[in-house]
């Protein structure tokens, strides 16, 4: 469950996803670029047409996918993030790329509860995020409500092993008083949320433990 699974919202994100974690992600991105799973998400978004597009990423962390989308022609990106720990590294990366004026970062907004807090976007991205949120219906529903063309999300492999791992993680954090929680949502149920809101799944790919699902508005 690497880089995945989070606390009960909205508390605990800064504790689990702290500045040290953000610096590690930024160093890896500078050295290696996007992870393979993030590359799949960006490639699918590019296949839909990024030129002049707006991209909304929910829980985008340091903003690496957004940076690459801007480099590929996206007009503007917006990141909605609950943890403030990413901000310094995210702004630094934007400044290094000279793209700060084309990106908006929204901090402290739980989009599942207040989807109207951000504007609509052509493409909505959720990478390693749905497994970090207890109410996938509310989160994916909010994403679908903001997306005008497509929603792309990732989820970890769903099997007995991941479900047991999530329970063990939760038991340990409960004993130690940490609000961090892991969530092993059923993939078909998550896709059904998008279908119920008028999106048709068109893309499925896998990179290691991560499964990528792309859905377009029907």
């Amino acid at each position: 469950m690497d880089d995945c699974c989070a606390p009960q919202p909205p508390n605990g994100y800064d504790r689990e996803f702290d500045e040290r974690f953000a610096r590690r992600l930024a160093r890896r991105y500078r050295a290696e670029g996007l992870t393979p799973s993030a590359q799949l998400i960006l490639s699918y978004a590019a296949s839909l047409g990024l030129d002049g597009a707006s991209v909304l990423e929910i829980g985008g962390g340091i903003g690496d996918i957004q940076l690459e989308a801007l480099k590929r022609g996206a007009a503007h990106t917006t990141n909605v993030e609950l943890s403030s720990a990413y901000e310094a590294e995210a702004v630094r990366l934007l400044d290094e790329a000279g793209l700060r004026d084309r990106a908006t970062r929204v901090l402290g907004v739980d989009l599942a509860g207040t989807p109207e807090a951000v504007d609509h976007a052509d493409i909505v991205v959720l990478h390693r995020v749905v497994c970090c949120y207890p109410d996938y219906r509310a989160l994916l529903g909010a994403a679908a409500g903001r997306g005008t063309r497509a929603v792309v999300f990732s989820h970890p492999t769903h099997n007995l092993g991941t479900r047991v791992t999530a329970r063990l993680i939760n038991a340990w954090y409960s004993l130690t008083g940490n609000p961090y929680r892991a969530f092993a949502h059923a993939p078909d149920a998550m896709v059904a949320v998008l279908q119920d809101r008028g999106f048709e799944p068109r893309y499925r790919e896998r990179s290691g433990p991560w499964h990528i699902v792309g859905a377009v508005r029907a």
Side-chain angles (χ1 to χ4, degrees):
M1 305 293 283
D2 181 41
D3 295 351
C4 171
C5 317
Q8 298 284 348
N11 298 315
Y13 285 85
D14 283 335
R15 173 176 173 177
E16 195 64 36
F17 302 104
D18 58 13
E19 288 85 355
R20 181 179 180 183
F21 180 73
R23 288 193 296 270
R24 178 166 65 85
L25 293 183
R27 283 196 302 269
R28 184 170 66 186
Y29 170 63
R30 288 188 179 96
E32 304 174 13
L34 293 179
T35 63
S37 55
Q39 289 176 23
L40 289 176
I41 287 177
L42 182 67
S43 294
Y44 180 66
S47 75
L48 300 174
L50 278 174
D51 284 344
S54 55
V55 177
L56 167 64
E57 187 169 9
I58 302 172
I62 61 170
D64 47 348
I65 292 177
Q66 299 154 61
L67 277 168
E68 296 300 321
L70 290 170
K71 292 176 182 178
R72 292 201 184 193
H76 193 272
T77 64
T78 300
N79 178 76
V80 179
E81 184 60 62
L82 283 173
S83 174
S84 61
Y86 295 111
E87 292 310 294
E89 292 298 332
V91 171
R92 190 173 293 117
L93 287 171
L94 285 168
D95 286 342
E96 289 172 5
L99 295 171
R100 192 170 180 179
D101 61 335
R102 291 165 57 193
T104 299
R105 295 189 62 83
V106 180
L107 180 63
V109 171
D110 181 1
L111 197 69
T114 55
E116 69 282 356
V118 298
D119 293 333
H120 292 86
D122 295 310
I123 301 170
V124 179
V125 172
L126 307 93
H127 184 33
R128 301 183 302 195
V129 169
V130 181
C131 63
C132 301
Y133 202 85
D135 191 347
Y136 69 88
R137 294 182 181 86
L139 185 60
L140 286 170
R146 296 292 94 185
T148 60
R149 289 168 51 193
V151 175
V152 192
F153 76 96
S154 65
H155 63 83
T157 297
H158 187 262
N159 54 30
L160 178 61
T162 56
R163 294 196 295 274
V164 170
T165 298
R167 290 179 181 177
L168 291 173
I169 290 172
N170 291 343
W172 171 252
Y173 279 107
S174 178
L175 286 172
T176 58
N178 192 325
Y180 190 94
R181 292 295 182 269
F183 301 98
H185 304 307
D188 288 345
M190 291 188 285
V191 171
V193 173
L194 299 181
Q195 291 176 314
D196 288 345
R197 287 158 177 78
F199 284 82
E200 179 182 346
R202 295 278 184 85
Y203 178 83
R204 295 177 189 265
E205 193 53 82
R206 179 177 179 177
S207 174
W210 295 103
H211 297 250
I212 313 302
V213 178
V216 297
R217 188 170 291 281

